[in-house]
Amino acid sequence: MERTLIKTAIYSFIISFSALLVLVNRAGTSEDFNGMRSSWEIPYPDFFFMILEYSIMITFIMVIIVFLIKRFKKRKR
């Protein structure tokens, strides 16, 4: 079971980091109620730390889910 959890942690971290790197926008625009637009941009260090934080949270959630699934399957037997 430990081997499965370690593989789950590694793969979920790599996949979530890669997916967030592609899907999360680093820059964008916002519009207020007067119709004025302003643009914003997240600096690269903050962007990578944000993606790292989300990847670690996703990894913990995935490991917990796989642990619970394995435990309930073991109990069923």
Side-chain angles (χ1 to χ4, degrees), residues 37-76:
R37 291 183 183 227
S38 61
S39 62
W40 50 269
E41 185 176 334
I42 302 172
Y44 279 114
D46 293 339
F47 179 68
F48 285 117
F49 282 127
M50 179 183 67
I51 289 177
L52 182 67
E53 178 184 0
Y54 290 149
S55 295
I56 290 171
M57 285 191 289
I58 291 170
T59 300
F60 280 136
I61 291 169
M62 289 301 297
V63 168
I64 290 169
I65 289 171
V66 169
F67 175 75
L68 292 174
I69 289 171
K70 290 285 186 179
R71 188 167 177 152
F72 286 132
K73 281 187 178 179
K74 191 183 241 185
R75 225 183 237 182
K76 261 188 162 177

Side-chain angles (χ1 to χ4, degrees), residues 7 11 17-18 20-21 24-25 31-33 35 46 50-51 54 61 68 70 73:
K7 282 186 176 183
Y11 291 139
F17 190 84
S18 300
L20 287 171
L21 189 64
V24 175
N25 289 332
E31 185 174 334
D32 66 358
F33 59 92
D46 293 339
M50 179 183 67
I51 289 177
Y54 290 149
I61 291 169
L68 292 174
K70 290 285 186 179
K73 281 187 178 179

